[in-house]
């Protein structure tokens, strides 16, 4: 059984899954480090939660600012029990469109390098303590490349592989690396989707399931479980079949703000 969680550091905490996780943990008396670009939103969130929390208004693409935030949190509250790299952006992209090159760069920098920068300041201290959880929020979109979502699918596929590498690197240290691949969760990110989203899960219910997986220290899980079945089936589909089916799939709009 894992020790009680008393300190959690969360990126992308101003909305969606991050906000839901913050509310879930705060309701259980956990001290939070809340990271996001919209500092006023984070401050309002922190003020609405029970307990004492730290707010860090920054972009996870800024590794120096993340390092400073991590150092401040550890100096004020101690080593976190859980670090959740949740910050991510999503937008429709097409390789043929020159205007989308900047979107590709932004998505990959935020979703992949931002995760690395989130974990980096905490790895050595957690390894030294022989405990803790490093949690990366991936996506079912990283299982196979989806049309019109080349940047997002590529970023989440990279995240899944990165987290596996990190998990093996930390094997036997007492630090658990947890990969969570959500399906469709009710968040501002999915609100812009005009296509059907099977097994859509409210963010608060998703957060509770995420927290259980984190506490258990599972290496990899898909939430909700129904999308886990879909993910396994997607892996098994031969390329010609996958291509025919998903060529007609709905696509996220291009040009969304990042």
């Amino acid at each position: 059984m894992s020790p009680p969680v008393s300190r959690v550091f969360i990126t992308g905490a101003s909305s969606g899954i991050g906000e839901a996780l913050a509310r879930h943990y705060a309701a259980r008396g956990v001290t939070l480090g809340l990271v996001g670009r919209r500092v006023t939103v984070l401050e309002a969130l922190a003020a609405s939660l029970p307990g004492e929390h730290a707010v860090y208004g920054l972009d996870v693409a800024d590794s120096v600012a993340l390092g400073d935030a991590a150092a401040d949190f550890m100096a004020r509250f101690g080593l976190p029990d859980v670090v959740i790299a949740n910050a991510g952006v999503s937008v429709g992209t097409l390789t043929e469109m020159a205007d989308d090159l900047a979107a590709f760069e932004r998505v990959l920098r935020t979703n992949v390098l931002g995760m690395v920068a989130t974990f980096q300041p905490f790895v050595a201290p957690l390894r030294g303590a022989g405990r803790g959880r490093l949690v990366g929020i991936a996506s079912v979109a990283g299982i196979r490349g989806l049309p019109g979502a080349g940047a997002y699918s590529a970023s989440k596929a990279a995240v899944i592989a990165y987290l596996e590498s990190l998990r093996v690197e930390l094997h036997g240290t007492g630090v658990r690396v947890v990969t969570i691949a959500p399906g469709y969760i009710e968040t501002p990110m999915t609100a812009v989707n005009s296509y059907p989203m099977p097994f859509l899960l409210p963010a608060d219910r998703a957060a509770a399931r995420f927290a259980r997986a984190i506490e258990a220290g599972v290496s990899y899980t898909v939430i909700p479980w129904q999308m886990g079945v879909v993910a396994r089936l997607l892996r098994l589909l031969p390329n010609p079949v996958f291509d025919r089916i998903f060529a007609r799939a709905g696509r996220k709009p291009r040009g969304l703000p990042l």
Side-chain angles (χ1 to χ4, degrees), residues 49-114:
L49 301 175
E52 182 183 3
H53 311 290
V55 168
Y56 303 102
L58 60 88
D59 190 325
V60 295
D62 185 343
S63 60
V64 173
L66 259 176
D68 290 343
D72 179 80
F73 184 83
M74 288 187 282
R76 292 171 60 185
F77 304 109
L79 191 62
D81 304 295
V82 180
V83 179
I84 305 176
N86 166 73
V89 294
S90 177
V91 64
T93 50
L94 291 173
T95 301
E96 69 201 71
M97 306 300 293
D99 289 348
D100 285 0
L101 287 172
F104 269 90
E105 181 179 357
R106 177 61 175 168
V107 170
L108 290 165
R109 187 169 71 249
T110 300
N111 296 4
V112 184
L113 298 181

Side-chain angles (χ1 to χ4, degrees), residues 148-176:
Y152 189 70
S153 287
S155 74
K156 293 304 183 179
V159 158
I160 290 169
Y162 161 67
L163 290 166
E164 186 161 57
S165 296
L166 184 62
R167 186 182 75 237
V168 178
E169 290 167 9
L170 294 174
H171 178 72
T173 66
V175 182
R176 298 283 189 93

